[in-house]
Amino acid sequence: MAPRPAWKGYLKLSLVTCAVELTNVVTHTEKVSFRVLNRKTGNTVKRIYVDSETGKPLGDGDEIKGYEVSDGDFVHIEEDEIEAVQIESSHTMALDGFVDKASIQQIYLDTPYYVAPADKVSEEAFAVIRDAMAGKKMAGLARIVLYSRERPVVIEPLGKGMVLTTLRYDNTVRQPDTVFGDIKAVKTDQEMTDLAELIIDKKKATFDPSKFDDKYEDALLELIRAKKAGKKAPTAKAAPKPSNVVNLFDALKKSLSSDGGSTKASSAKAKPAAKRAKPKAGAPKRKSA
């Protein structure tokens, strides 16, 4: 069964328009999910709206959305009134600027969606827009109303289709300096950096998402199978917590050896660094690990 589109509308480049639909990239259908049960009866339970003052449950159609304008004072808004709010981006994504995708900081990227032509008539115009962006190696900026919020988005070619990624607003993103500002500048030892680079070289790999295993999901399934069979829940040994590194240089050398490297390799890499950082006569020598 084809996935249900998350949005249908139009993609527009100047006077060129085509019908498109957005489909979620991510699916959670195969993940373990739990229902809430009544411990005594084993029956499933359901949530109901209850009046915060009277404690009485609401009947069908009794609930309404409200926007608090002051303490305890709400403006009532009907669902059909919200649905009636329409702006251009409710139905049209107008490509109003183009950028190099790499220029967008990772912290602004949010949720990806596949973009495909919605009908046969739109396929040619869709292909022209897609191929033009691919030819210029550019991504388009637009806006879209998605889940009752207008969101800035970036759209780029992806194979025969395109991928749209919603972007976060600047005022919702904590800037790096607010978190990293207190980190002190540290002058690193070149010899230790060389050892760390050797470890990285040993672990170099090709990105393959099919090799990502959800070990927590597997552990949950093991628990469920055990309980279903009437057995006790499996007890797993807690993973040892890493301790603080006392001697960083020694820890790097041991890491390299445990990853299949050798002290010879580390010495070969470290010697040029030692020559570059050779101390002047009379200067105190660095303590060796």
Side-chain angles (χ1 to χ4, degrees):
M1 183 182 294
R4 184 179 178 182
W7 184 90
K8 284 188 175 184
Y10 297 90
L11 180 65
K12 180 180 179 184
L13 173 63
S14 191
L15 299 179
V16 179
T17 304
C18 61
V20 295
E21 56 187 29
L22 268 58
T23 304
N24 289 288
V25 169
V26 181
T27 175
H28 300 284
T29 53
E30 295 183 2
K31 290 294 181 182
V32 170
S33 60
F34 296 100
R35 299 283 298 276
V36 179
L37 308 178
N38 182 332
R39 185 186 293 273
K40 294 179 179 178
T41 66
N43 298 329
T44 58
V45 301
K46 60 181 180 179
R47 291 189 175 96
I48 57 174
Y49 287 111
V50 176
D51 190 294
S52 61
E53 296 294 329
T54 67
K56 294 181 179 179
L58 273 65
D60 291 340
D62 285 348
E63 69 269 13
I64 187 173
K65 283 185 168 61
Y67 181 82
E68 192 168 17
V69 292
S70 61
D71 189 21
D73 185 17
F74 293 88
V75 173
H76 292 191
I77 307 291
E78 299 285 354
E79 287 288 350
D80 58 357
E81 292 176 320
I82 294 174
E83 292 175 5
V85 175
Q86 295 286 321
I87 58 176
E88 183 187 20
S89 55
S90 297
H91 51 76
T92 301
M93 295 184 293
L95 295 167
D96 51 18
F98 294 89
V99 298
D100 178 354
K101 173 70 179 305
S103 69
I104 302 176
Q105 290 178 271
Q106 183 71 27
I107 56 177
Y108 289 98
L109 300 175
D110 196 359
T111 307
Y113 295 85
Y114 292 127
V115 185
D119 51 46
K120 292 289 184 182
V121 177
S122 299
E123 288 180 355
E124 184 178 13
F126 179 89
V128 168
I129 297 172
R130 178 199 64 206
D131 293 351
M133 285 197 288
K136 299 300 292 184
K137 296 181 179 179
M138 300 291 274
L141 297 175
R143 291 176 176 272
I144 179 177
V145 174
L146 195 60
Y147 304 120
S148 302
R149 292 285 186 275
E150 187 182 48
R151 305 162 193 269
V153 300
V154 57
I155 305 170
E156 59 187 314
L158 181 67
K160 294 187 292 183
M162 299 191 219
V163 64
L164 173 152
T165 305
T166 57
L167 301 174
R168 301 181 179 100
Y169 285 101
D170 187 54
N171 61 2
T172 67
V173 174
R174 292 191 182 95
Q175 293 304 309
D177 286 348
T178 62
V179 178
F180 302 152
D182 293 335
I183 299 177
K184 295 180 180 179
V186 177
K187 184 174 177 59
T188 56
D189 182 281
Q190 185 60 48
E191 193 173 350
M192 289 195 287
T193 302
D194 288 341
L195 284 172
E197 288 178 0
L198 278 171
I199 296 170
I200 292 171
D201 285 338
K202 296 294 291 184
K203 291 179 174 288
K204 193 178 294 184
T206 301
F207 178 71
D208 182 1
S210 67
K211 293 182 178 179
F212 295 162
D213 295 323
D214 189 339
K215 291 182 171 54
Y216 186 76
E217 181 90 354
D218 293 340
L220 283 177
L221 289 170
E222 185 181 353
L223 166 63
I224 292 167
R225 283 192 290 265
K227 297 283 284 185
K228 185 178 179 181
K231 299 178 181 178
K232 290 184 178 180
T235 56
K237 292 182 179 179
K241 293 182 179 180
S243 58
N244 289 331
V245 175
V246 177
N247 187 316
L248 181 57
F249 188 78
D250 189 47
L252 286 165
K253 287 197 296 183
K254 286 182 179 177
S255 296
L256 186 61
S257 298
S258 65
D259 290 328
S262 67
T263 53
K264 288 183 179 179
S266 63
S267 298
K269 182 77 176 177
K271 281 180 180 179
K275 288 180 181 179
R276 289 194 299 270
K278 186 175 181 181
K280 294 181 181 179
K285 294 182 179 178
R286 183 177 66 80
K287 290 183 179 180
S288 177

